[in-house]
């Protein structure tokens, strides 16, 4: 008993030790005792706080189209292999926003939006058939917009699924200014609890949709000040900075740069927050096309920036928006790439994963396992 008393760890010492333990291993630590559970919670609040995960989903291109998931936890700088039952194939797995995953066929619409995509919803497909719509959750609604096929009467059609009533509603179509680009490949989107914000990636023309009123706003144009010409507009919503713009731009020397702006006011004004180091910009450059085309995923106060050429994506660049202004940048290797190439379909999401969500999934999903596989 005397030796056990000498070896007992508690208080600040225990919290400091736990701050170095990967989040997935803290779930077991919480079951040791009530003081340990309290120490885990306190350590996450005060020592090494939670940060949004980058999640890579791969889907084989041949039957049975098996899926696999790898997650990067920046809090511990580790990659985690997530073993789970393969998602039942309905169609190609897609995501056009944050942690929202979906599959859409002519007869069925399956989607998931919880942090680890543990829960899936399966409903009837929307009335209009679409190839590449934008899909996002806004409050208690799921909005499916644009992406219509040429044979449809309205390629700009918008339908809203009510998560409470479990029914589809029609809505005003997307604005005509987006007619030639009403597909997720051309658009960047962000959501608040009340609005879906849609930005044309080449022009910066922006509209927002109110799902309750089922109507669209007039157009706004994001126009950062300065001498740089923005060639790619990407938006997202953060916890502290609200709506942000991540843009690829060229200066008078024709050098590509990537900057982050905060969006302020009702007229979508831009205030610069930070700029990506040039070595990271080069790491995102496509070997096939020679340009720096980017997508972004945003959660909490972390922005993940990756190449539009996902088949040759070797790294993801991360940006943490620091309280009080500024950015902290680092790069994360793509753990699913082999010899600089990604063979399977790659879908990128990010999510705020907490200890309670991990406990829920680990307790309710007998076939789910989380294994730290490597450093970031």
């Amino acid at each position: 008993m005397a030796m056990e008393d000498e070896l007992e760890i508690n208080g600040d010492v225990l919290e400091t030790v736990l701050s170095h333990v990967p989040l997935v291993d803290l779930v077991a630590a919480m079951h040791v005792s009530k003081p340990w559970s309290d120490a885990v919670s306190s350590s996450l609040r005060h020592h090494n706080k939670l940060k949004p995960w980058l999640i890579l989903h791969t889907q084989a291109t041949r039957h049975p189209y098996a899926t696999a998931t790898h997650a990067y936890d920046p809090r511990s700088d580790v990659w985690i292999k997530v073993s789970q039952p393969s998602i039942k194939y309905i169609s190609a797995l897609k995501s056009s926003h944050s942690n929202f995953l979906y599959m859409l066929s002519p007869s069925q619409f399956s989607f998931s939006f919880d942090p680890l995509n543990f829960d899936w919803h399966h409903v009837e497909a929307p009335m209009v058939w679409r190839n590449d719509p934008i899909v996002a959750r806004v409050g208690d609604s799921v909005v499916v917009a644009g992406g219509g096929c040429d044979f449809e009467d309205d390629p700009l059609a918008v339908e809203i699924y009510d998560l409470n009533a479990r029914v589809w509603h029609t809505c005003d179509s997307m604005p005509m200014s987006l007619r030639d680009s009403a597909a997720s490949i051309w658009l960047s989107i962000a959501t608040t609890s009340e609005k879906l914000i849609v930005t044309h990636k080449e022009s910066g023309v922006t509209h927002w949709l109110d799902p309750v009123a089922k109507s669209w706003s007039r157009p706004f144009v994001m126009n950062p000040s300065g001498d740089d010409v923005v060639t790619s507009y990407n938006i997202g919503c953060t916890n502290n900075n609200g709506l942000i713009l991540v843009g690829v731009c060229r200066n008078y020397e024709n050098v590509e740069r990537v900057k982050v702006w905060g969006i302020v006011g009702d007229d979508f004004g831009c205030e610069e927050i930070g700029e990506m180091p040039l070595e990271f910009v080069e790491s995102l450059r496509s070997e096939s096309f020679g340009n720096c085309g980017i997508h972004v995923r945003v959660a909490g106060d972390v922005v993940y920036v990756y190449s539009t050429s996902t088949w040759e994506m070797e790294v993801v660049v991360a940006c943490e928006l620091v309280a009080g202004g500024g950015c902290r940048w680092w790069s994360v290797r793509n753990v699913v790439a082999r010899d600089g190439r990604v063979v399977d379909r790659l879908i990128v999401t990010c999510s705020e994963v907490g200890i309670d969500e991990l406990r829920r999934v680990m307790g309710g999903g007998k076939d789910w396992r989380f294994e730290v596989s490597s450093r970031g």
Side-chain angles (χ1 to χ4, degrees):
M1 289 292 294
M3 182 174 293
E4 288 181 1
D5 289 341
E6 290 178 6
L7 295 177
E8 184 177 352
I9 303 174
N10 52 37
D12 292 341
V13 175
L14 177 58
E15 292 182 17
T16 302
V17 171
L18 292 173
S19 70
H20 298 281
V21 177
L23 185 64
V24 293
D25 295 326
L26 289 180
V27 175
M30 294 191 75
H31 293 290
V32 172
S33 65
K34 179 64 164 59
W36 273 59
S37 179
D38 293 341
V40 169
S41 299
S42 180
S43 178
L44 292 174
R45 284 196 305 270
H46 303 295
H47 292 275
N48 192 358
K49 298 181 180 180
L50 297 171
K51 294 180 181 179
W53 287 15
L54 167 70
I55 306 178
L56 304 182
H57 311 265
T58 56
Q59 183 181 48
T61 55
R62 297 182 179 181
H63 183 80
Y65 308 101
T67 57
T69 303
H70 295 78
Y72 169 71
D73 178 6
R75 172 188 172 273
S76 305
D77 189 33
V78 294
W79 277 103
I80 301 160
K81 181 180 179 182
V82 183
S83 299
Q84 58 175 303
S86 182
I87 302 170
K88 182 181 177 182
Y89 179 79
I90 296 172
S91 65
L93 187 66
K94 295 183 178 182
S95 175
S96 56
H97 175 253
S98 189
N99 67 320
F100 195 104
L101 286 176
Y102 75 93
M103 292 181 286
L104 179 61
S105 74
S107 61
Q108 187 169 329
F109 177 46
S110 296
F111 58 92
S112 174
F113 50 76
D114 61 284
L116 289 169
N117 302 115
F118 180 70
D119 300 314
W120 280 82
H121 307 261
H122 307 283
V123 303
E124 290 185 356
M127 291 180 290
V128 176
W129 169 240
R130 310 158 190 272
N131 277 330
D132 186 27
I134 55 173
V135 183
R137 181 191 179 190
V138 183
D140 292 328
S141 302
V142 174
V143 179
V144 181
C149 299
D150 292 338
F151 57 78
E152 291 288 352
D153 293 335
D154 184 6
L156 297 171
V158 179
E159 295 174 76
I160 300 174
Y161 183 77
D162 187 319
L163 292 168
N164 295 321
R166 299 182 181 181
V167 295
W168 286 99
H169 299 287
T170 56
C171 176
D172 286 354
S173 296
M174 298 180 75
M176 288 300 295
S177 61
L178 301 176
R179 181 175 180 83
D180 296 327
S181 53
S184 69
I185 191 174
W186 303 111
L187 302 173
S188 180
I189 66 174
T191 63
T192 68
S193 60
E194 300 175 341
K195 296 177 182 178
L196 167 66
I197 306 166
V198 178
T199 296
H200 186 262
K201 295 188 70 171
E202 290 188 356
S203 67
V205 173
T206 300
H207 298 264
W208 52 260
L209 168 70
D210 182 340
V212 175
K214 301 178 182 178
S215 61
W216 291 85
S217 72
R218 66 179 178 87
F220 300 87
V221 179
M222 294 185 181
N223 188 22
S225 60
D227 298 328
D228 295 327
V229 177
V230 179
T231 59
S232 175
Y233 296 78
N234 302 266
I235 61 172
C237 279
T238 67
N239 286 349
N240 293 328
N241 291 270
L243 185 65
I244 62 167
L245 166 66
V246 182
V248 178
C249 49
R250 292 181 181 272
N251 61 13
Y252 65 93
E253 296 178 336
N254 205 32
V255 176
E256 283 187 314
R257 305 157 76 183
V258 177
K259 292 186 176 183
V260 182
W261 294 270
I263 306 302
V264 295
D266 295 335
D267 59 349
F268 286 72
C270 301
E271 294 183 353
E272 186 172 330
I273 298 174
E275 179 177 346
M276 181 184 292
L278 287 178
E279 62 267 28
F280 292 153
V281 177
E282 286 302 311
S283 71
L284 297 174
R285 188 176 303 280
S286 169
E287 293 182 6
S288 301
F289 303 105
N291 67 329
C292 182
I294 64 170
H295 291 310
V296 302
R297 291 290 183 263
V298 182
D301 290 309
V302 174
V303 182
Y304 291 106
V305 187
Y306 60 100
S307 172
T308 53
S309 304
T310 53
W311 64 88
E312 57 181 11
M313 187 180 87
E314 295 189 56
V315 300
V316 176
V317 177
C319 169
E320 182 177 15
L321 304 181
V322 181
C327 304
R328 184 176 75 87
W329 300 89
W330 73 99
S331 66
V332 184
R333 65 186 178 88
N334 179 3
V335 75
V336 303
R338 297 292 181 268
D339 297 323
R341 291 291 183 269
V342 179
V343 178
D344 296 328
R345 285 177 48 80
L346 177 61
I347 303 92
V348 182
T349 63
C350 70
S351 184
E352 294 187 87
V353 178
I355 193 76
D356 290 337
E357 180 65 14
L358 278 171
R359 294 176 69 183
R360 182 179 80 92
V361 172
M362 290 179 176
K366 296 181 180 179
D367 297 325
W368 283 64
R369 296 190 309 276
F370 297 82
E371 176 186 358
V372 175
S373 59
S374 63
R375 302 294 297 181

